[in-house]
Amino acid sequence: MSKVAVVYWSGTGNTEAMASAVVDGVREGGAEAELFTASEFDASMLSSFDAVAFGCPSMGSEQLEDSEFEPMFNDACKRSLGGKRVALFGSYGWGDGEWMRSWEETCTADGAVLVTESVICNDAPSNDAIAECKALGAALAAV
């Protein structure tokens, strides 16, 4: 059975709801899932998982949250992504998803294997976005 980490930061609860749906999808896909906030996770934990889903909303001028998530991701995890199966998700309140495109490019440049299309939603996740998050989780479970 594969083991998947779901790591997220949420300020309003939108990305947290998405993370819960990703966990549901992983488990429905037959894999083990562990849920972590950004402050609970670091790069030393990556090797314990077959795959990881990272979730972070767009903040400011379409960037990752910069007090907890971005330091955890950039200072630690980013250097350890080579060959790791990864999926990304998050919510936004404005813009067009530029933060997610930039984040995908960063992950790919650092050697991560993006296993499925990233999931983004505007504000609170709709039923469709929840279903997409579950499918993202199921894709990670299949690796």
Side-chain angles (χ1 to χ4, degrees), residues 34-134:
E34 289 190 44
L35 185 64
F36 302 93
T37 63
S39 64
E40 298 169 331
F41 195 82
D42 64 55
S44 69
M45 300 166 77
L46 278 172
S47 63
S48 299
F49 296 93
D50 301 300
V52 61
F54 288 108
C56 186
S58 170
M59 304 293 285
S61 58
E62 293 219 49
Q63 61 193 42
L64 297 174
E65 187 279 327
D66 64 0
S67 67
E68 285 184 37
F69 191 89
E70 189 175 42
M72 176 276 303
F73 187 79
N74 285 344
D75 297 342
C77 292
K78 190 169 104 163
R79 292 188 302 260
S80 303
L81 291 179
K84 184 62 74 176
R85 293 173 193 90
V86 172
L88 307 174
F89 64 94
S91 61
Y92 65 100
W94 57 89
D96 68 353
E98 178 185 341
W99 105 100
M100 185 59 73
R101 292 188 299 275
S102 297
W103 194 12
E104 290 169 338
E105 290 171 8
T106 297
C107 288
T108 301
D110 290 328
V113 177
L114 296 176
V115 299
T116 189
E117 191 172 320
S118 300
V119 176
I120 62 173
C121 70
N122 188 287
D123 294 322
S126 65
N127 289 338
D128 288 345
I130 292 295
E132 290 175 17
C133 288
K134 286 183 178 183

